[in-house]
Structures are given as C-alpha cells and as structure tokens.
Amino acid sequence: MSVDPTFTFQPAEVLTTAAPMTTTTGTVSSAGTEEIKVGYSLSVFVTTCKYYDPVKKEWTSDGCVVGPLTTPEKIQCLCTKLSVSSSSDITTTPSTGGSPTTTAHISPVRFGGGMIVPMNSINLSDSAFLKLDENPIIFSVMVSCMCLYLVIIIWAKKKDREDVIKAGSAPLPDNNPDHMYLYELLVYTGDKTNSGTTSKVSFILSGDEDETPPRPMYDPKRPVLKRGSVDSFIMAVPRPIGALSHLRIWHSNSGSSPSWFFSRMQVTDLQTQDKSFFLLDRWLAVEEDDGLVDRVVPIANKEELTNFNHLFWTKTKKDIYDGHIWFSIFTRPARSKFTRCQRLTCCLSLLFSTMMANILFYETDSGDAQVYKLGPFNFTLPMIYKGVISSLIVFPINLLIVQIFRLAKERPQKEHPVKVKPMPLQSVNVDTSLSSLRELEKQMESLENEDELRAVCHSPVSGKRSGTPMSVSTISKSGYTDYVAGKSFKNITDDDSRLATKPGYGNTNDKKKKKKCRLRFPWWSIYIAYFVCLCSVGVSFWITVEVGGVFGAEKSNKWMVSFCVSAIESVFFSQPLKVMGLALFFALVIKSPDVDEDDDDSEDTKKNELKANEEYLHKSRDMSGCSAIPAPPDEDYLRAMRQQRFKEIKMFEVVREIVAYLFFLYLLLMVGYGNRDPWSFYLSNHVKDLYSRANDLPDGLALSSVLKNEQFFEWANSTLIPTMYGDEWYDGIKYPWLKNFIADGSSFRIGPPRLRQLRAKADKCPDPIYKHYPECRFAYSITDQDEGTYKKGWLPINQSDSLDTGDDHWSYKDSDITGGYPIPAILATYGGGGFLVELGTNKDDAFSTLSDLKENQWIDRYTRGVVVEFLIYNAYLNLYTLSMSVIEFPETGGAFPFERLHVMRLDRYSGTTMFVVMAAELLVVCYVLFFLVREIKKIKEMKRGYFKEFWNCVEFWVLCFCIGGIVCSFYRLFVSIQLSSHLRDNPGKFINFQYAAYWDEIYGYMLGLIIFAATIKFLRMMRFNRKIAIFGETLRYIGKPILQFMLIFLVIFAGFSQMAYLVFFTKLHNFSTFISSMESLVTLLLNKFDYLKFEEADSFFAPFIFISFTIMLSFIMLNMFLTLIIEGFQVVRFGASRQKNEYEIVEYMMGRFKDVFSMGSTKKEGPPQSGGYVENQFESKAYEDLTKKVDEILGMAMKQVSSGKDALLELQKLDASGKRKIYSA
C-alpha cells in the first residue's frame, strides 16, 4: 500500500493552535489551502518477532509480524500462530481480510528479545584526541596512571633486586664440608608488630636416630627472621637424623629488638623430599606470653596441620600476599618467580582494559528488560550480557599475561667459571675433599660386610649414636664445590646436587615416583607477555579516550567518579573477601596442609649456576659466630632481662604518649585559633568607631552619650543613619555601587537596619499612690511584657472593630517573625520579639521613618529597651558583623546604652588555611573517638574506682567537652548552611544572625574549656619528673583540708559581702548589686582598691568594714591557706620514695638518651659472656652435685671412724692400768 507523502493543514490551525499538531495523510485541498514545507528527521531500526518452537527446538518467526505500534524501545508482535500458555495474553481483533488477527502481548523473555545491548559508539570523524581541551579528564587520568607506573616501576625494580638476595637458601654458618646429608629449613616469622628479632637464634633438631648439636640460625650476609619473612637455610649433618620428633629452639635475648614471634618451621629432607612441620605460633620474648625464650616444639601431626585456624589464616595470608595482584606488588614473597615489575605491568594492563570494558557499556540503554529476583539480588538479561562481554574483554587476556609471567622458565646463561677463594686453615680443601671422597667410595665398594663399612665410616664427632652408619652419596664436582664454598642455594632438587641415599641407609628414594613436571613456558615468552601488555594498554587507552570524547565533559566526569569508586571497592573489599571465602572453603572442605612449594621446576635449568649479573653471597664460610653458641638464658638472667624490657616498654609508652598528646594539643590549638580570625577585633573596633563613637562624623553623637529619650533620636539621625547608608563617597559624588554599602565603602549592608522595642505593661499603682497616680511604671520582665497591638501614639485599638488592626510599627511581633532570641543587657534580659521597625533601604526612607516615630512618641515611659540590629558583611575578610546593642530605659528614667557586636565567619572553609583547619578538625575527631573507646574500657574495668582518681576525672571531662565541641561544630555548620541558603533566596532583606551568633559563642566557650583542660592534663604527661610529681601529690594530699578551709572562707566572705552590699548599695556603683559587691571584695583581696571612695561613701562604717575585712581575710585566712599548702608540701617531699618505680623509668630514659648520644659511660646489661652451650650440661651438673654429696658423706664417715679409733685407744690405756678390760672386735 502506497502512502501519499503530502500533508494538508488549514492556515488558521497553523497560526493559532498551541497544542501539538497531528498530520493527516491525504490529497491537497483545492480551495483555501496553502502549501507548507515540513522538515523530518528519520531514524531507521530493524526488528523482528521470534518465538521459541519447542517442536523444532529453534527460534522462528512463523505467523508473526511486527505491529505498527513498534518503537525502538518496544516491539508489538501480531501473531496468527503461536502457542501461548495463558489466554489472557491473547486478544483477537477483526481484520479487513475477514479472518481474525491474534495479538499476543508477550514479555520479551518468551521472544528472547532485549538481551543484546549495543556498546557505546566511537566517532572516528571527530576524534577525541583533537579536542582534548574540551574534555581532558579521561586522557589526563590515564596519562597520569602511566606516569605513576613509570615511577613505581623504578621502586619495584630495586625491590626485585633485593628479593633476589632474600630468595636464596643460606647455608648454616657452622656447616662442616665433610657432612653431606642436607636438610632445608623454612622458618616462618609472624606478622604481629615487632615479630622480627635481632637476637641470635639457635636450635636442636631431634629424630629417631640422632639429634643435631646446637646450630646457629643466622646469615652474616643478609638480615633474616624479620617480621612476616620466610627464611630458608641449608643444614648439613654427618648422617640422617631419622624420623623427626621435636625441635628445641631458643635465642640469646640480645640486640635492639630481641623478641621473636616464631610461627612455624618446615624441614625438608633433600635426599628423600620428606617434609616435616613444627607449628608453634607463640612468642619467644621475656615481655610476652609466659616470658620464655626457650621452647620445645613437637612435630605436627595431621590433625594440627589440618586445623581450621591454621589452614584458614595461612591460606589467607598466602593468597593476599601472593595471589592478590594489587597487594602483591608490595607484599610479594621473595621466593616467587613472579617479580614486582611484572605484577605492576599486569596491574596497568588490567586497569586499562577494565576501564575500556566499563566505558563501552556505561549507561547503555537496555530497554524495559524483565527483572529477575534471586533472593535479595535483582538482575536482568542485559546485565548478564554486559557482565559476560566485559569479562571476555578483560579476563582472558590478563589471565594469559599473568600465567606467562608465572610459568616462564629462567633464561639460560652462558657458562661462567667460578673462582673459589682458598678456604681458611680450619676449612677442608676442596680438591683434597673430592679425592678423599672418591677414595672413600672405592673403599666402600670393595668392602663386603657391614662391620667393616661401619669401621671405615665412623664419625669422630658423633654423640650418643656413634655407631650409626654415615650415608654416602655421589655428588658432582660443581655441586660439592658450591657447597664447600658456602653458596646460597636457591633450590637443591637437581639430580646432580641431590644426595642419593643408598639402599639400606635411612629413607630410600627408589620406590617413590618421580614428581610430575609442571607446564613451563620457554624463557623468551616473557617478551610476548610484555608485548601483549603493551598492546592491551595501547588499545584500551585509545578506545577509552575515544568513547569519552563522545560522552562529553560532564558525562566523562560522572563516569570517572563511578569507575574510581567501583575500582576502590573491588581492590580493597571485593577481592579480599573473595580471598577469604576461598580460604574458608580450603580450610573446611579441602583440608590439605599448606606446603611451601618453590616455583622452580626440576626440569628447569641448573639452579646453582649464576646469572651474568649475580655473584655468590657466601663465597667463603664465616665461622666467627660458631665458636660459642649461646646457651638458653637461665631464670635469673631472664628475670633481670624481663625487668629491663618492661622498663623499655614503659619508656616507649611514655614517649609515645607524650608525642601523641603533644600532637593532639597542637591540633586543638590549630582548631581553636583557626576559628578565631585575628582581624575580627579590628573589624569590630572599626564598626564601633563608625556607629557608636562617631569618630568619622563631626556632628555625630556617640552612643555612650545617649542618656535620655530625646537623645536616642538625635543619635539615630546624626550617627546611625549616616553610618548605615553610605551613598556618598569622600568626594561627595553618589556612586551607584555605594547603594548597599555603609559609610566606609568597604562593608556591605545586608538588608535594612531595624529597631526592636521591648515594653513593660501599664498597671495600676498600689495604694495609697493609686489615688494620685492611676498608672505606674514597672520594671521589664521577659515573662510579663507588653505584647499588645496599638495605633500610632500607642493608642488602643477598637476591639469590637475587626477592621481596626493597628499600625505596623505599634504592633507586637513574636520571635518567630523577628527571628530574635533573648539578649542579656545591664538591667535585664530582653526577649526575642518586640515592636519592630525597619528603617528602609535608603537614607531618605530611614530619616522619614525616624521622624514619624519621634512625632508619634514611639519611645515613651513604658519603653524599657530598644535593640538596634543591623548586619554587615566585609567581603575582603569574609566576616559578618551583627549588632545586638541595647539602649535601656529603666522605670526610673534616663537611658543606659549597652553596646554589643558579634563578628563571625559564616562560610568558614574558604581558602587554603581553612582546609588545613578542617583536616585538623577531622584528626581531632579521630583522636576523641580513640580516647573515648579507651576510657570506656577503663570504666568497665575499674567501675566506680575510675572516678576516684583525679586524672581520670580530668580525662573524663576533657572527653565531655570535646564531644560537646564536636556537636556544637556540626550544628553550627548546619545553621550556617541554612542561613546561606536563606541569604540567596531573600536578597535585600534583613537576615537575623543572632541564633548562629549564639552557637558561635557557645562553640568558642567549648573550645576554650577544651584547650584549658587539655593543657592542664599535659601535666600528667610530665608525672615522671620528680618536681611535677611532688606538685601533683601535694595537691592530692591537701585536697580535703583545702575543701574544709574553703567552706569556712566562703562563709566569712559571704558575710562581708552582704554587709558591704547593704551599706554601700545606694552610694557606690561597684556595690549596687550583691554580685558586684562580691567582685569588688575580691579585688580588695588583691590590694586593688580606692579607700577614699569608701570613706566618702560612709565615713563612719566604711573604715570598720575595710579594716575588719583586711585583717580577717587578707591576714588570717590567706595565711592559714598558705600554711596548709606548706605543710602538705613538706609531707609529700619526704615521702617521694612512693614513686620509686616511676623515677627509675626516668633514670633509665636518661641513661638510654646518654647512650644514644654518647654522653655518658653507662654500661648496658647484656647476656652472659661465659655461657656457651655444653651438650648434656644439665646431666653433668647433676652428676657433679651427686659426687660432691658422696664425698661429703664419706668424709663424715671417715671422721667418725677416726674418732672411734681414738676412743678405743683411750679404753685400752685404761685397761692396761687394771681398772677395766675391753675387747675390740
């Protein structure tokens, strides 16, 4: 069917219609018509209706056509043949052909539509690189990432070189070249704070057949046993130890940081590849755990190796340190072949490819796709499509790059002959050893019986198992030479360097299957990986910038922010959670012991060969540390070291506490002074000079000169209005820009000035005055003030006439309308409402308003206060000045001006300095949270006893003030934001800043209290100083006597204050109120007084009050107060020994300070020098003790025998004399 493309419109419809026009297809009218040219914009899209045929098992469009209501967003399908599950989805409509047409409204899922989402396009004709000045954000960010990559890769290359040194296996320094049975020891140090040690670690490894002598565990060429490190050592023994049973390990508790957190040790028999594990995860430190530095660790069984806690944390740590591609740049294990430079390059490729995949599908329209719910998750098919396509873009290429880097072999090096330096005299010559070894092998092959073999192979250094046969192995010349030279082994698993145990001796390796080789890429594949990374980065960079060019600047910025947030979330949250989830699965399901596997493959190149840029670390064996292996420290030494260590810990705690608190106090001072602009005083003084002192107006009246009603209007006309309306410059010309400025031309007036009057109610006078004066003037009360509505001249309105509403200036308005709050002045505190008068926006209106007020007696005998309010803003200083001055008119007549200005900054965070202050405020909040948590823990532990200590109370109140200050700061910020919005919405109107000014004052008071209390608390930081400690102890000792004294003092002082008030309240201004009387007597205690005024006021009673007050309080009470202090000071000074421990810490700190700066000759206590380890030393000592006891018993027996012989001789002498006969046995 052809459609006529001509449209016909009536001229009236074209000219008058305001609604959207509809076009009608037809022929052109012949009468009264006018041809109209219409422009079209055409868009072409292709769509089709398909459904899934379960019989044919394919998608088909049989019986379906696209309906006329189809749009690019929605598809209408008209189908005559379709199997639909629900009859409600089908509607039948008659068609012109006679047969009905079935319309099926089916969701896109049944038709399979809406899943494929088009990517964002690239406009190659308008390249984004040609208009970087319009949209530079994506280009600049990606270039910055490249520059950052170049900077970090320099650091990464340096760390890779350091890791090469750390990765090798160090031979134990006491290895004997004649010992050829090798073990590899992997020692894991914990990740806790100060887990590494500087002490000398020694160990004994025991097995079923033998045990090692004490072996030192250190490397003179590189630092070992550091925090989180995995150190590898090669131990040589004369014969197999057998199945390992336990490990004894200790350290000498020497060095600057002797404490060590020993995690575990993996022992590998390099001949049989058997692995044994010793798990401890405890401290070897005098100040941690149970204080022991010597522990016996049994071999771990399967249950311990598969323990959930052990598997979970070891797997998590390994995957985070090595598997997390971002974190591993900084935490990469030294033994890994995947270098930091390679990891960094992979991160750059991953970042750029992820940016490309993300921007290609950013905010792409997926139509009205059906939403599926799976528990708490909602998803659509387009979302799945985007995720799959993005993963296919990012994942395969980056996975390939990572695997190539991980599995690439090392580059083979040319043969470089190694020159081995001659060994020291105590070492064995290499050639001699080799010839001896060959000779020994020949002799062993010729021997036929086992006894002869044992006789030949007997070890002279064996202990209790001297009869154990020595395992003899065939070893290559190069491998043995490396071993003698003390080479730092990388991995001793090659056939030419492994000791092959002969059958019948120890564990055999013949029956074990050979380990399956891992898939390895050739060494040159790393160049392919770098090339692929370069291509990935380049293509991703080009596509991302081009798509960003199509986005435009605003959308590009939006995308960059969303991508950065998602990237940070992925790196720091999603991936660590994924690692922990996999570790949880590994620990609960797989339960396989964590075994350290090197990246090297047995089929790789020779590991003992040096690269062109490498050299042996251990070219000659250093036996200097093997002469005297330190024995485990005894209890006395450990006790002394424990006390010394506790002193060091206490010293570091004190120093750390002082430094941290000084920084906190510095932040508080920065916040306090940052909220007080030094220009505030000068601005306030300048405004006072203008409107109060009238220094710049020769005919002006000062505010302090207003002493009666008439002078108020004189001051307002001569000073207030000329100051507030500065429409003339100093040259007399009225410039337009001066319209809203005050007289100085630098401060901007916000809205018109206004006057707010507070009145007292007219009431009847009491009897008998009522007969003469029917109405009296009473004092003002904020709770009983006049809130009526009047006509001009304070005439009452007709209450019965609803049209009589009174005059605006003579009608009371409450605080909700005025925006005012109570203002304390000299005589009273005035409310926030009042009778309000705005003076107008120009000087003429202001004069006219004041003239009208004066003529109609706006200020009369019931007026008690007039508040003068204006708000000015100085843009140069970014300061607002709010006037809350009050002229009080007491019921006695006259006037008392009360001048009050408040200078504040509404938009505080403007300028670089204030952003630094904001950072300081955030740090203070963090400090307060830390202190709050700490004090809550203390309160839970000490309960009521917490508040019995003085400094705890100080800390508590400091925290309360800090929390109050934080609340005030945030609320003041909230009020400031509201006022700023109100200023923008109501230009030219007066905005009352009184509420914000009050909160600003409260915040200032809180800051003052916080800084005062925090400064006082700093005295506690200096409690280790003897003089400051005596001061604190003195205050604590005299606390109760001072409270008792103060009670007596206050009673006497109150009596004198009442007497002085009653005598002088009508004669002296300083004694007009009871409070002012107390203040005057305090100044009298400080010897600041004018006796002549006292005598003029009352010549009879004044001398008595003055003399008695001076004698009683100045002489007697103050001297008693000083006596209490002196007595307490003497008691505390002689009892200063109660803080002996704290003073010892101070002395220790001074000693350490002198040691660091070589200012003294203090000798640092160290480990015993004579305590070398002696095998079986405890059994020998017991034997010696037994021998001594036996000798003592024999000596006593001999004495008894000799004494018995002497007695027998005496008896024989008596028998010879005939007195008695004795027979000896």
Side-chain angles (χ1 to χ4, degrees):
M1 174 181 176
S2 62
V3 179
D4 189 354
T6 305
F7 300 92
T8 303
F9 300 97
Q10 293 297 329
E13 295 178 356
V14 177
L15 296 176
T16 59
T17 183
M21 298 175 59
T22 59
T23 60
T24 305
T25 304
T27 58
V28 179
S29 177
S30 60
T33 60
E34 181 179 355
E35 183 179 358
I36 299 176
K37 295 182 179 180
V38 180
Y40 292 89
S41 65
L42 301 178
S43 61
V44 180
F45 64 96
V46 179
T47 185
T48 183
C49 290
K50 288 188 177 184
Y51 63 92
Y52 186 77
D53 191 341
V55 178
K56 298 180 181 180
K57 295 183 178 180
E58 64 180 11
W59 291 88
T60 179
S61 60
D62 296 342
C64 288
V65 295
V66 179
L69 300 181
T70 299
T71 64
E73 291 78 20
K74 297 181 180 180
I75 304 174
Q76 183 192 32
C77 295
L78 303 178
C79 301
T80 58
K81 180 182 178 183
L82 181 67
S83 297
V84 184
S85 60
S86 177
S87 60
S88 61
D89 293 337
I90 306 174
T91 58
T92 304
T93 58
S95 63
T96 57
S99 59
T101 302
T102 300
T103 303
H105 303 281
I106 301 176
S107 63
V109 176
R110 291 175 180 165
F111 283 90
M115 180 172 180
I116 299 178
V117 182
M119 297 182 182
N120 289 313
S121 59
I122 296 176
N123 189 0
L124 296 178
S125 61
D126 188 16
S127 176
F129 290 93
L130 301 178
K131 50 180 181 180
L132 293 177
D133 55 334
E134 301 176 3
N135 183 17
I137 179 66
I138 296 178
F139 177 83
S140 58
V141 169
M142 299 188 78
V143 170
S144 300
C145 291
M146 294 181 186
C147 296
L148 184 63
Y149 165 79
L150 296 177
V151 173
I152 298 179
I153 203 170
I154 298 174
W155 169 86
K157 185 63 176 177
K158 180 180 178 181
K159 298 299 291 185
D160 282 338
R161 292 178 178 175
E162 295 178 2
D163 289 341
V164 171
I165 299 176
K166 296 179 182 179
S169 297
L172 294 181
D174 63 340
N175 280 348
N176 193 326
D178 293 332
H179 298 168
M180 295 173 291
Y181 203 92
L182 305 182
Y183 289 89
E184 182 185 23
L185 312 178
L186 289 181
V187 184
Y188 294 80
T189 302
D191 291 309
K192 295 186 178 181
T193 305
N194 299 324
S195 295
T197 181
T198 57
S199 185
K200 294 181 179 180
V201 178
S202 305
F203 69 95
I204 298 175
L205 200 59
S206 300
D208 292 343
E209 300 181 9
D210 201 354
E211 73 175 12
T212 66
R215 306 295 297 270
M217 186 185 294
Y218 79 97
D219 189 351
K221 300 295 184 180
R222 58 186 177 182
V224 292
L225 306 180
K226 298 302 179 182
R227 176 184 176 185
S229 65
V230 181
D231 300 294
S232 177
F233 299 93
I234 300 298
M235 179 181 69
V237 294
R239 63 185 58 79
I241 301 176
L244 301 181
S245 59
H246 64 273
L247 166 73
R248 182 182 182 186
I249 190 165
W250 71 89
H251 64 74
S252 61
N253 197 59
S254 59
S256 59
S257 179
S259 303
W260 184 37
F261 188 85
F262 175 46
S263 178
R264 64 188 187 274
M265 178 189 288
Q266 174 182 319
V267 181
T268 304
D269 189 330
L270 295 180
Q271 289 65 231
T272 64
Q273 297 303 309
D274 291 334
K275 291 181 173 60
S276 303
F277 302 89
F278 299 92
L279 308 180
L280 184 61
D281 283 325
R282 293 184 67 180
W283 283 96
L284 276 70
V286 294
E287 78 279 5
E288 299 285 351
D289 205 346
D290 55 4
L292 297 180
V293 297
D294 179 16
R295 298 190 185 276
V296 176
V297 187
I299 190 169
N301 54 31
K302 184 176 181 180
E303 182 180 354
E304 293 175 332
L305 292 175
T306 57
N307 178 267
F308 171 78
N309 189 49
H310 169 71
L311 286 180
F312 177 75
W313 289 113
T314 53
K315 183 65 175 176
T316 300
K317 175 185 172 182
K318 184 177 180 180
D319 289 347
I320 287 289
Y321 283 10
D322 191 22
H324 195 292
I325 190 65
W326 295 92
F327 291 172
S328 63
I329 297 175
F330 308 97
T331 61
R332 168 239 182 188
R335 294 165 60 85
S336 175
K337 296 297 182 183
F338 194 13
T339 65
R340 298 176 194 265
C341 292
Q342 295 170 354
R343 294 171 191 263
L344 182 61
T345 305
C346 292
C347 288
L348 182 66
S349 174
L350 178 62
L351 176 65
F352 276 35
S353 57
T354 305
M355 293 174 73
M356 177 187 66
N358 187 279
I359 201 172
L360 285 175
F361 291 100
Y362 181 70
E363 292 187 353
T364 52
D365 187 13
S366 58
D368 297 332
Q370 183 173 352
V371 179
Y372 298 90
K373 293 185 177 180
L374 183 62
F377 303 101
N378 298 332
F379 63 92
T380 62
L381 291 179
M383 291 172 57
I384 297 176
Y385 174 79
K386 292 180 183 179
V388 172
I389 297 301
S390 299
S391 300
L392 292 176
I393 294 174
V394 177
F395 184 72
I397 186 67
N398 288 281
L399 178 63
L400 175 64
I401 295 170
V402 171
Q403 292 303 316
I404 290 176
F405 280 133
R406 282 190 180 275
L407 301 178
K409 297 181 180 180
E410 290 188 3
R411 184 172 183 176
Q413 301 292 331
K414 296 181 180 180
E415 294 291 339
H416 294 279
V418 180
K419 297 181 179 180
V420 182
K421 293 183 179 180
M423 299 297 294
L425 293 176
Q426 65 270 23
S427 302
V428 181
N429 185 269
V430 176
D431 297 336
T432 306
S433 300
L434 289 175
S435 59
S436 301
L437 180 62
R438 297 190 187 98
E439 182 65 26
L440 181 60
E441 291 176 354
K442 293 179 181 179
Q443 293 179 10
M444 290 176 61
E445 292 174 358
S446 62
L447 294 175
E448 296 179 355
N449 56 66
E450 185 175 351
D451 295 334
E452 294 178 352
L453 178 60
R454 290 181 179 177
V456 175
C457 298
H458 185 270
S459 175
V461 294
S462 62
K464 60 184 178 180
R465 301 182 184 272
S466 58
T468 303
M470 176 180 178
S471 298
V472 181
S473 306
T474 58
I475 185 169
S476 66
K477 181 176 180 179
S478 61
Y480 190 77
T481 303
D482 292 336
Y483 169 68
V484 174
K487 177 189 170 183
S488 179
F489 288 89
K490 295 180 181 178
N491 190 8
I492 308 180
T493 57
D494 297 353
D495 292 338
D496 58 348
S497 62
R498 183 167 49 203
L499 303 178
T501 308
K502 293 204 170 189
Y505 298 98
N507 297 326
T508 62
N509 199 29
D510 298 336
K511 296 181 180 181
K512 291 188 177 182
K513 294 183 180 180
K514 193 174 183 180
K515 184 179 177 181
K516 186 177 179 180
C517 298
R518 296 171 58 187
L519 174 65
R520 303 301 296 270
F521 295 108
W523 65 268
W524 43 264
S525 60
I526 61 172
Y527 296 109
I528 298 177
Y530 277 116
F531 177 75
V532 174
C533 281
L534 179 63
C535 294
S536 173
V537 170
V539 172
S540 301
F541 175 73
W542 176 73
I543 293 177
T544 305
V545 174
E546 289 290 355
V547 176
V550 177
F551 279 4
E554 183 177 356
K555 189 175 180 180
S556 297
N557 294 341
K558 185 178 177 182
W559 169 80
M560 183 57 66
V561 172
S562 65
F563 176 79
C564 291
V565 172
S566 62
I568 293 173
E569 183 273 335
S570 175
V571 172
F572 292 99
F573 296 98
S574 298
Q575 293 190 29
L577 288 177
K578 180 188 69 175
V579 168
M580 295 184 70
L582 292 175
L584 184 65
F585 175 79
F586 180 85
L588 291 176
V589 179
I590 300 178
K591 294 186 177 181
S592 175
D594 181 56
V595 181
D596 186 89
E597 296 288 348
D598 202 356
D599 290 342
D600 294 339
D601 190 83
S602 59
E603 299 297 329
D604 205 350
T605 58
K606 295 181 179 181
K607 305 302 179 299
N608 295 333
E609 294 179 354
L610 291 175
K611 296 181 181 180
N613 59 346
E614 293 180 349
E615 62 180 3
Y616 288 121
L617 279 179
H618 308 80
K619 292 184 178 180
S620 60
R621 298 197 312 121
D622 185 6
M623 302 291 292
S624 59
C626 307
S627 56
I629 298 175
D634 55 17
E635 287 297 328
D636 295 335
Y637 175 73
L638 287 179
R639 191 178 301 108
M641 289 294 98
R642 188 175 296 113
Q643 294 177 359
Q644 179 178 343
R645 183 59 180 164
F646 284 151
K647 289 180 182 179
E648 291 180 355
I649 294 174
K650 188 67 176 178
M651 179 191 70
F652 288 124
E653 287 180 357
V654 170
V655 174
R656 184 168 57 249
E657 185 180 7
I658 292 175
V659 173
Y661 197 80
L662 279 176
F663 184 65
F664 172 66
L665 189 60
Y666 172 75
L667 293 175
L668 281 179
L669 293 174
M670 183 183 295
V671 172
Y673 290 115
N675 284 274
R676 290 294 177 262
D677 196 313
W679 287 98
S680 299
F681 168 77
Y682 299 104
L683 179 61
S684 176
N685 192 58
H686 170 66
V687 175
K688 289 179 181 179
D689 287 339
L690 291 175
Y691 95 101
S692 176
R693 301 166 188 157
N695 291 341
D696 296 339
L697 299 173
D699 299 330
L701 181 68
L703 181 61
S704 58
S705 301
V706 178
L707 301 178
K708 54 185 178 179
N709 296 2
E710 296 80 4
Q711 289 179 334
F712 171 79
F713 289 103
E714 182 182 351
W715 167 79
N717 282 287
S718 63
T719 304
L720 179 63
I721 293 179
T723 299
M724 292 293 104
Y725 300 91
D727 53 355
E728 292 184 2
W729 198 230
Y730 62 89
D731 54 2
I733 301 177
K734 295 183 178 181
Y735 294 98
W737 57 269
L738 284 172
K739 179 180 178 182
N740 291 324
F741 281 85
I742 64 174
D744 62 355
S746 60
S747 297
F748 185 83
R749 187 187 71 253
I750 299 177
R754 68 182 191 179
L755 307 176
R756 181 161 55 89
Q757 181 183 157
L758 289 308
R759 298 173 58 83
K761 286 184 178 180
D763 204 350
K764 294 181 180 181
C765 294
D767 291 333
I769 304 176
Y770 174 71
K771 298 178 181 179
H772 305 282
Y773 299 97
E775 290 184 354
C776 287
R777 306 187 224 178
F778 292 97
Y780 173 82
S781 173
I782 194 172
T783 59
D784 189 24
Q785 60 180 346
D786 189 358
E787 298 179 358
T789 302
Y790 303 92
K791 296 180 182 179
K792 286 187 177 181
W794 302 110
L795 299 176
I797 63 173
N798 187 0
Q799 299 291 343
S800 61
D801 187 2
S802 60
L803 299 178
D804 192 358
T805 58
D807 192 81
D808 185 59
H809 296 164
W810 275 262
S811 300
Y812 181 84
K813 297 176 178 60
D814 58 17
S815 58
D816 293 336
I817 299 175
T818 63
Y821 289 85
I823 300 176
I826 300 174
L827 303 177
T829 298
Y830 299 92
F835 298 88
L836 192 64
V837 177
E838 289 192 354
L839 297 182
T841 58
N842 55 69
K843 185 182 292 186
D844 296 335
D845 292 343
F847 281 126
S848 175
T849 302
L850 278 179
S851 177
D852 181 65
L853 295 177
K854 185 176 181 181
E855 291 176 1
N856 293 280
Q857 296 182 352
W858 189 67
I859 296 178
D860 63 353
R861 59 180 182 167
Y862 296 105
T863 300
R864 294 295 173 263
V866 176
V867 182
V868 181
E869 298 176 322
F870 59 82
L871 180 66
I872 60 177
Y873 173 66
N874 191 296
Y876 306 105
L877 302 177
N878 190 25
L879 291 174
Y880 291 86
T881 304
L882 175 66
S883 170
M884 295 179 287
S885 300
V886 182
I887 295 91
E888 298 180 276
F889 300 93
E891 61 274 14
T892 58
F896 293 92
F898 174 73
E899 184 180 9
R900 183 174 184 181
L901 295 176
H902 184 80
V903 181
M904 61 178 294
R905 176 176 282 118
L906 193 64
D907 183 14
R908 296 176 56 245
Y909 302 111
S910 60
T912 306
T913 304
M914 291 310 299
F915 280 106
V916 175
V917 174
M918 181 174 65
E921 290 175 343
L922 294 176
L923 291 176
V924 167
V925 171
C926 295
Y927 262 99
V928 170
L929 292 176
F930 170 75
F931 290 148
L932 182 63
V933 173
R934 187 182 66 179
E935 295 306 310
I936 289 175
K937 290 181 180 179
K938 280 187 178 180
I939 293 175
K940 287 183 177 180
E941 293 176 359
M942 303 176 65
K943 296 182 179 180
R944 294 183 179 180
Y946 174 86
F947 297 97
K948 294 181 180 180
E949 295 186 8
F950 173 76
W951 290 113
N952 287 343
C953 296
V954 173
E955 182 74 29
F956 178 79
W957 284 111
V958 169
L959 280 176
C960 292
F961 292 148
C962 288
I963 294 173
I966 292 172
V967 173
C968 288
S969 177
F970 279 105
Y971 189 72
R972 184 185 65 160
L973 181 63
F974 172 73
V975 173
S976 300
I977 294 174
Q978 284 187 326
L979 285 177
S980 299
S981 177
H982 197 43
L983 280 174
R984 290 190 297 268
D985 297 338
N986 301 277
K989 293 185 178 181
F990 177 83
I991 307 297
N992 199 338
F993 275 38
Q994 187 180 351
Y995 187 63
Y998 280 169
W999 277 105
D1000 188 66
E1001 285 187 351
I1002 293 173
Y1003 182 61
Y1005 298 151
M1006 295 298 296
L1007 281 178
L1009 290 173
I1010 291 170
I1011 294 176
F1012 168 76
T1015 306
I1016 295 299
K1017 185 196 167 187
F1018 186 72
L1019 289 175
R1020 185 174 182 270
M1021 304 292 105
M1022 307 302 295
R1023 63 188 181 275
F1024 298 104
N1025 182 281
R1026 186 179 297 273
K1027 295 181 179 179
I1028 296 179
I1030 290 176
F1031 171 76
E1033 286 294 321
T1034 302
L1035 293 179
R1036 182 183 301 177
Y1037 181 81
I1038 65 175
K1040 291 183 179 180
I1042 288 294
L1043 289 178
Q1044 297 171 358
F1045 168 81
M1046 291 302 298
L1047 179 61
I1048 299 174
F1049 179 84
L1050 290 176
V1051 171
I1052 298 175
F1053 185 80
F1056 275 100
S1057 299
Q1058 294 178 26
M1059 182 172 59
Y1061 168 66
L1062 294 175
V1063 172
F1064 299 114
F1065 80 103
T1066 59
K1067 303 173 183 178
L1068 294 175
H1069 175 71
N1070 292 337
F1071 291 87
S1072 59
T1073 64
F1074 179 71
I1075 300 298
S1076 61
S1077 299
M1078 295 180 67
E1079 294 172 351
S1080 300
L1081 290 181
V1082 170
T1083 59
L1084 184 60
L1085 280 175
L1086 301 176
N1087 294 327
K1088 293 183 178 180
F1089 57 89
D1090 188 355
Y1091 177 75
L1092 295 178
K1093 286 186 178 181
F1094 283 91
E1095 194 173 13
E1096 290 175 0
D1098 194 321
S1099 59
F1100 174 75
F1101 214 66
F1104 170 76
I1105 295 176
F1106 179 80
I1107 294 173
S1108 60
F1109 179 82
T1110 302
I1111 294 174
M1112 180 61 68
L1113 273 79
S1114 297
F1115 292 163
I1116 299 177
M1117 298 303 295
L1118 287 182
N1119 281 291
M1120 290 178 63
F1121 180 75
L1122 294 176
T1123 302
L1124 289 175
I1125 295 177
I1126 294 172
E1127 181 184 0
F1129 177 78
Q1130 290 178 348
V1131 172
V1132 171
R1133 186 180 61 178
F1134 290 108
S1137 58
R1138 288 178 292 177
Q1139 294 188 2
K1140 181 179 179 181
N1141 292 334
E1142 294 185 348
Y1143 296 144
E1144 287 179 354
I1145 293 175
V1146 176
E1147 295 172 358
Y1148 181 77
M1149 292 172 60
M1150 295 301 297
R1152 290 297 300 271
F1153 180 81
K1154 292 179 180 180
D1155 288 342
V1156 171
F1157 294 97
S1158 301
M1159 298 174 58
S1161 58
T1162 58
K1163 184 178 180 181
K1164 185 178 178 181
E1165 186 178 2
Q1169 299 296 326
S1170 60
Y1173 183 89
V1174 179
E1175 190 173 1
N1176 300 327
Q1177 58 179 340
F1178 301 109
E1179 292 82 352
S1180 300
K1181 184 177 181 181
Y1183 176 76
E1184 292 175 357
D1185 294 340
L1186 179 61
T1187 304
K1188 291 180 179 179
K1189 291 181 180 179
V1190 172
D1191 292 341
E1192 291 177 359
I1193 293 173
L1194 292 175
M1196 294 175 63
M1198 294 300 294
K1199 289 181 180 179
Q1200 293 294 333
V1201 171
S1202 61
S1203 61
K1205 290 182 178 180
D1206 295 337
L1208 182 61
L1209 292 175
E1210 292 293 335
L1211 291 174
Q1212 289 176 353
K1213 290 180 181 179
L1214 291 173
D1215 182 59
S1217 62
K1219 294 182 179 180
R1220 193 174 179 182
K1221 187 175 182 180
I1222 300 297
Y1223 296 94
S1224 61

